[in-house]
Amino acid sequence: MSDLLIQRALISAYHKDGLEPICKKLHQLQVQLYSTGGTKSFIEQLGIPCIAVEQLTGYPSILGGRVKTLHPAVFGGILARKNHLEDQQHIQQYGLTLFDLVIVDLYPFEQTVASTQEEKEIIEKIDIGGVSLIRAAAKNFEHVAVIASTNEYPLLLQWLDEQNGSISYDQRKWLAAKAFAYCTHYDMAITRYFEQFADTGIFFAEASPAYLLRYGENPHQSAQYFGDLHQLFDQLHGKSLSYNNLVDIDAACKLMAEFEETTFAIIKHTNACGIASRATVFEAWQAALQGDRESAFGGILISNKTIDESTAASMHEMFFEVCIAPDFTPSALEILTKKKNRILLKQKSSISTEKYFKSILNGVLQQQADKENYTDWNEVTRPLTSAERSDLIFANLVCKHLKSNAIALVKNKQLIGKGCGQTSRVDALRQAIDKAHQSGFDLHGAVMASDAFFPFDDCVKIAHEVGISAVIHPGGSIRDEDSIRYCREHNMGMVITHTRHFLH
């Protein structure tokens, strides 16, 4: 396939950043420029001649600028195949002007959605003509080069300079692939906006530019991240985030979003190995660490309040991968940045995901986010003490974010033992009890949360034997009454929520 010498270019750009050197280079190469409206004025202000698209169409810009380039004289000049006999006949018959290069920059729809809730303003930023021009030029890449983003401006300048105004076939095909990707991303953003009014029933994969990761879960697996981390975090220090970092950060942020009072958590392989709520960040950190010092090594730390100097000094003594907080005091930053690879993230906003996706088999599962903590609060045995009630609320939230089967043991708003990812609920409870004993906790007066119902009364029996005073679970077993009866007979509190929290 031959190189394409650029002789005529159609330019329509919303943003003019980076456009000046492009226009000057094309003018230097004696390329004839065509444009409309503000872009035409911009080009002419550079002292470069530019032909108005209206001269080709015979129509002015109409409907408040909604229709400018949507005309056969324009699209015929983009879609015409120079090696096709019938197309050549139509070119002659209708006097079509052929374009070799199309440069289009789309209306900023996503930025508008992010900055306003005014529907009319948002709708006007849905680009019609621009997307159509891009798709037409990309489809006809054999005869036309398309630039659909300012990201490609430097490359275009390089090619024009090195290749004396020509673009190769492979380069045009590469640009076409980029152009279709930009259009897909743009259309997805529009669809996401309208999905708040109607469920489309269609799965759209994220089309954000890929962020290459060092590797996946394991070094032999390649990986990419699609999304905008800068929307959520400012990375203040440390190495680039890994696949496993991102998975754990996601789990940490979802867990911490459940708490309003001062809380600190430590995450390991997406599960909380320590979490506590206290009057100060330092106290919360100390209590979270006490929950499982052994597992905390190399974990992800997260606080919902500013990290201060005393907390940072204590944290600095331990190896951890990432720390997430709404802010860090200057003295805390000075301490924590002493380790060059330690990742510090300032969280700017909370995660507000409404839907979760999972790739399985040859398809994708979609479900609503689990935002329901409990449907009911039925105290089915005896009245709870205020301490039991607050601890059960805390334990239920923690257990919701542990991998199933899951048990959380809590005392004084501190996770003191947990069992997770077990094939048996009894095994999860035994693991939680063992963890609590390994850390030196007294389970008398502690409470227990389960992510699903107790199929038998064995769990409440084991819990009672070690001193646990109250339990919370969703209920729903045909043998719920066995567990309820045992708790009544042994003066244990029990809450049934009717809300299960499986997490796989």
Side-chain angles (χ1 to χ4, degrees), residues 284-304:
W285 147 250
Q286 289 287 316
L289 180 61
Q290 185 185 17
D292 189 349
R293 289 180 180 273
E294 186 176 56
S295 297
F297 181 85
I300 306 294
L301 313 185
I302 185 168
S303 169
N304 61 359

Side-chain angles (χ1 to χ4, degrees), residues 246-425:
L246 290 169
V247 171
D248 282 340
I249 289 167
D250 178 70
C253 291
K254 287 174 181 173
L255 172 62
M256 192 54 68
E258 303 280 6
F259 299 92
E260 293 184 3
E261 61 182 310
T262 302
T263 303
F264 203 107
I266 305 169
I267 306 298
K268 197 75 174 289
H269 295 294
T270 74
N271 291 298
C273 57
I275 181 170
S277 294
R278 291 290 184 268
T280 68
V281 173
F282 180 77
E283 292 171 315
W285 147 250
Q286 289 287 316
L289 180 61
Q290 185 185 17
D292 189 349
R293 289 180 180 273
E294 186 176 56
S295 297
F297 181 85
I300 306 294
L301 313 185
I302 185 168
S303 169
N304 61 359
K305 297 294 188 291
T306 299
I307 302 295
D308 56 26
E309 182 178 1
S310 59
T311 307
S314 179
M315 290 164 50
H316 185 61
E317 297 174 1
M318 186 187 79
F319 169 69
F320 61 89
E321 288 272 351
V322 182
C323 181
I324 311 159
D327 210 349
F328 300 78
T329 65
S331 55
L333 275 178
E334 185 178 349
I335 294 169
L336 295 175
T337 53
K338 290 178 181 178
K339 298 285 187 181
K340 68 175 184 177
N341 288 330
R342 181 182 284 160
I343 299 167
L344 304 179
L345 298 178
K346 179 178 178 180
Q347 187 171 2
K348 297 186 287 189
S349 61
S350 59
I351 296 176
S352 57
T353 307
E354 296 295 329
K355 297 177 182 178
Y356 292 158
F357 304 94
K358 182 178 289 188
S359 175
I360 66 161
L361 302 175
N362 63 344
V364 176
L365 282 175
Q366 174 188 300
Q367 67 172 345
Q368 290 179 322
D370 183 5
K371 295 190 174 183
E372 191 75 51
N373 291 327
Y374 47 82
T375 306
D376 298 305
W377 183 277
N378 294 327
E379 299 179 10
V380 295
T381 55
R382 61 163 172 79
L384 300 170
T385 67
S386 59
E388 286 174 332
R389 190 171 290 110
S390 63
D391 275 352
L392 286 171
I393 292 172
F394 185 95
N396 188 57
L397 293 177
V398 174
C399 194
K400 172 183 171 182
H401 293 269
L402 295 173
K403 291 293 188 289
S404 301
N405 287 308
I407 294 288
L409 304 181
V410 167
K411 190 174 184 179
N412 189 25
K413 295 184 180 179
Q414 177 188 25
L415 180 65
I416 61 174
K418 51 89 182 54
C420 49
Q422 299 302 303
T423 54
S424 159
R425 193 156 303 281

